[in-house]
Amino acid sequence: MVLPLSQLLQQLNDKKDEFLRYDTAFAEVRQAYQEALGRWQQQTIPKVTAAIDPQITHWGARPIEPWNQGWCIPLGVQWPHRQAAQGWAMAQLMEVTTVAVDGSQMVPSEELFLPVGVVQAGWFLNHHRRDRPYAKEIALELITPAELRQAETELAQPQTYRLHERYIHLRRFELELKTLRERMAEVTAPALLLFDGSFVATFAESYTPQWQGRYVAALCQTLEASWEQRIPLLAYIDSSQARDLVTLLGHLDRLPPSPHLCDAQLLNTVLTQWGDRSPLFICDRGGILENYGAWTRGIGFCYLKAHQGYPVRVELPLWIYEAGLLEAVIRWLCGELITGQGYPYALEVADQVAVLQGSDRQAFLKQLQVWAEGVGIELRFSRKWVSKQQRR
C-alpha cells in the first residue's frame, strides 16, 4: 500500500486554519524572544547577571565568555573558492589527531523466540600526518538472554513495555563512550575527540533513578577522562532542540515560556555567515544535571553556523575554555566541517563504520542459527522469517 496523497491533501486543506493559527501564535512568541535577544546581546555579562531574579535557581544558560559585537563571534577568515577553504582546513588539522565514535544496535524482535541483542561502536582515528595512516574499527558486544533478564530485575520500570529495547540502547550509549575513552587514552595532544550527541542526558529524566545513574556515570567518566588527560572533547548536535538560551531570555524579560521555540531557531538571525559562533555559555538546565556532581555546572555550549540550516550546538567540558583552547578547538572543528562538507568528516566516517543494515540483521540471525545448531541449542524462528528466507 502507498500513502493516499489525495486524502492527505484533502485533510491538509480541511485543517488549514489550524495550521495558520499555530503559525501566527508561534510567530508572535518568536518575535518577542527575538526582541529580547536583540536587547540583551548588547549588554555585558555583569548586567545580564544583575538582571536575573535571585530566586531563580537555574538560568538555563549562564554567560561565561565576554562578547563585543552581540552574540556573534565571526571565524574571521574567508576564502575565494572551495579549494582555498580545503587548504585552510588541512592547515588547521595538520598533526592534530581527530577521533570520532558512533554506534548502532540490533534489538530483540519477533523473528526469534529468544531475547538477544547486539550493540557496536564504530570508531575512526586520523593523525593528519603523512607518516601515520588513519585507523577505523568496530567494537561489538553481544547482549545475552541472561543479561536482559538481569536488566528486568535491576532496571525495572513501572511499565516494562519495550524494556529490552531500551536496555539495548543504554548499552550502545555506554559502549560508545567507553570506546571514546579507550581511544582518548591512546592519543596525545594536540587531539580532538568528537561525540555525536549531547553531554546533557535530558532524554533520560523520565527514567527511574537506576537508569539515569547509568547514563550519568558514562557521561561523567568521559568528561573526567578528558579533563585528566587534557584531551579536548566535543559533543556535536546537528539538529538541536535545546532551549537553554530561550530559558535565559525568558527570565531576563519575564516572557511566557515557549516550549516550541529552540535556541537554534532564535540564533539563526544572528549567526548568518559560515563559521559564526555564539559566545560560550554554561549549561544551567537543572534536572538530571543535578546528578552530575562536579560536572553539574561544568559543561559549556555554543552554537556554530556550520551549513545552510540552523546553527549546530557544540558542547564541551569547561576546562577547554579555562585552558585557553576554545579558539583552537573551534578551528579544528571547522576544519572537519569543511572536509565533511557541512558535517564533521570524522563523525561521518564513524557512522559509516558503525551502521547496521537490514542485511546485517539477516546475517546475524543466520550466524546465530548455525552456531546454535553446532552447540546443540534449539532456536525457534517465527514462521514469517522462515518463509522469507525460503523465498530469497
Side-chain angles (χ1 to χ4, degrees):
M1 298 293 289
V2 296
L3 180 69
L5 295 180
S6 60
Q7 292 185 41
L8 174 62
L9 181 59
Q10 182 63 49
Q11 292 274 322
L12 288 169
N13 287 328
D14 291 345
K15 298 181 179 183
K16 178 181 67 176
D17 289 344
E18 294 179 36
F19 283 95
L20 292 174
R21 283 195 297 272
Y22 173 85
D23 189 59
T24 299
F26 180 75
E28 291 174 353
V29 171
R30 180 171 179 170
Q31 181 62 31
Y33 276 86
Q34 207 75 56
E35 291 173 359
L37 169 61
R39 285 190 295 273
W40 289 104
Q41 69 173 339
Q42 302 303 322
Q43 302 300 322
T44 62
I45 292 179
K47 288 185 178 180
V48 170
T49 301
I52 291 288
D53 186 338
Q55 300 299 316
I56 296 174
T57 305
H58 302 296
W59 298 9
R62 290 177 180 259
I64 185 174
E65 181 184 17
W67 55 85
N68 296 318
Q69 301 174 359
W71 287 0
C72 177
I73 301 175
L75 181 61
V77 293
Q78 293 182 328
W79 310 277
H81 44 72
R82 174 156 182 80
Q83 186 176 1
Q86 290 174 327
W88 180 89
M90 290 178 61
Q92 300 305 308
L93 292 170
M94 185 61 67
E95 299 190 1
V96 176
T97 301
T98 55
V99 180
V101 174
D102 203 355
S104 190
Q105 73 283 320
M106 293 182 191
V107 300
S109 72
E110 60 186 16
E111 299 161 323
L112 176 65
F113 297 109
L114 178 73
V116 61
V118 169
V119 295
Q120 68 179 35
W123 57 267
F124 174 69
L125 184 151
N126 190 345
H127 295 285
H128 293 104
R129 290 177 52 173
R130 293 182 177 88
D131 61 337
R132 301 191 67 181
Y134 65 81
K136 54 184 178 181
E137 192 52 80
I138 291 173
L140 180 144
E141 290 184 356
L142 179 70
I143 314 299
T144 67
E147 290 175 281
L148 291 169
R149 194 161 52 244
Q150 185 177 2
E152 292 175 2
T153 302
E154 295 181 355
L155 300 171
Q157 293 274 119
Q159 296 179 344
T160 58
Y161 175 65
R162 301 182 78 172
L163 184 143
H164 287 178
E165 182 177 339
R166 181 176 291 181
Y167 179 69
I168 296 292
H169 283 285
L170 167 63
R171 290 288 297 271
R172 166 188 165 171
F173 188 86
E174 291 177 327
L175 179 60
E176 287 184 34
L177 290 170
K178 174 187 173 184
T179 304
L180 204 56
R181 293 193 299 273
E182 290 173 348
R183 301 289 79 75
M184 190 186 302
E186 297 172 354
V187 302
T188 56
L192 175 65
L193 275 70
L194 296 171
F195 175 65
D196 183 17
S198 176
F199 292 145
V200 187
T202 303
F203 65 88
E205 288 184 350
S206 61
Y207 301 169
T208 62
Q210 294 92 332
W211 285 84
Q212 291 184 29
R214 293 278 291 267
Y215 280 105
V216 170
L219 286 163
C220 289
Q221 287 171 22
T222 309
L223 292 166
E224 194 71 20
S226 171
W227 177 78
E228 290 176 351
Q229 298 172 41
R230 286 327 217 211
I231 300 295
L233 169 69
L234 297 183
Y236 187 89
I237 307 99
D238 185 75
S239 300
S240 172
Q241 300 298 311
R243 304 179 56 260
D244 301 319
L245 294 176
V246 170
T247 301
L248 172 64
L249 292 169
H251 290 322
L252 289 169
D253 262 24
R254 314 303 194 262
L255 295 172
S258 176
H260 302 296
L261 180 63
C262 66
D263 297 346
Q265 292 172 308
L266 201 59
L267 289 175
N268 198 45
T269 59
V270 176
L271 309 178
T272 58
Q273 300 298 313
W274 191 93
D276 287 352
R277 71 170 177 90
S278 72
L280 189 72
F281 293 82
I282 298 172
C283 186
D284 186 23
R285 196 180 299 172
I288 199 168
L289 272 176
E290 295 300 299
N291 301 328
Y292 276 51
W295 295 100
T296 294
R297 288 185 181 165
I299 298 172
F301 72 91
C302 66
Y303 287 85
L304 174 71
K305 187 68 173 177
H307 45 61
Q308 293 181 343
Y310 287 136
V312 304
R313 181 178 171 108
V314 180
E315 297 174 354
L316 52 102
L318 282 180
W319 76 260
I320 294 175
Y321 172 71
E322 294 165 349
L325 294 176
L326 180 60
E327 286 299 323
V329 166
I330 291 295
R331 286 178 173 249
W332 296 343
L333 176 59
C334 286
E336 281 285 324
L337 288 165
I338 291 172
T339 306
Q341 300 187 47
Y343 190 77
Y345 178 74
L347 280 175
E348 182 181 325
V349 177
D351 172 74
Q352 293 170 357
V353 172
V355 67
L356 288 166
Q357 310 280 3
S359 58
D360 295 308
R361 180 168 190 82
Q362 298 306 315
F364 165 69
L365 292 174
K366 288 181 179 179
Q367 182 63 62
L368 182 63
Q369 184 180 33
V370 171
W371 174 83
E373 290 174 354
V375 298
I377 296 177
E378 182 181 3
L379 292 184
R380 294 186 178 275
F381 292 90
S382 72
R383 185 60 203 171
K384 180 179 179 181
W385 183 81
V386 173
S387 177
K388 284 183 178 181
Q389 300 313 304
Q390 291 173 343
R391 294 196 305 268
R392 292 174 180 173

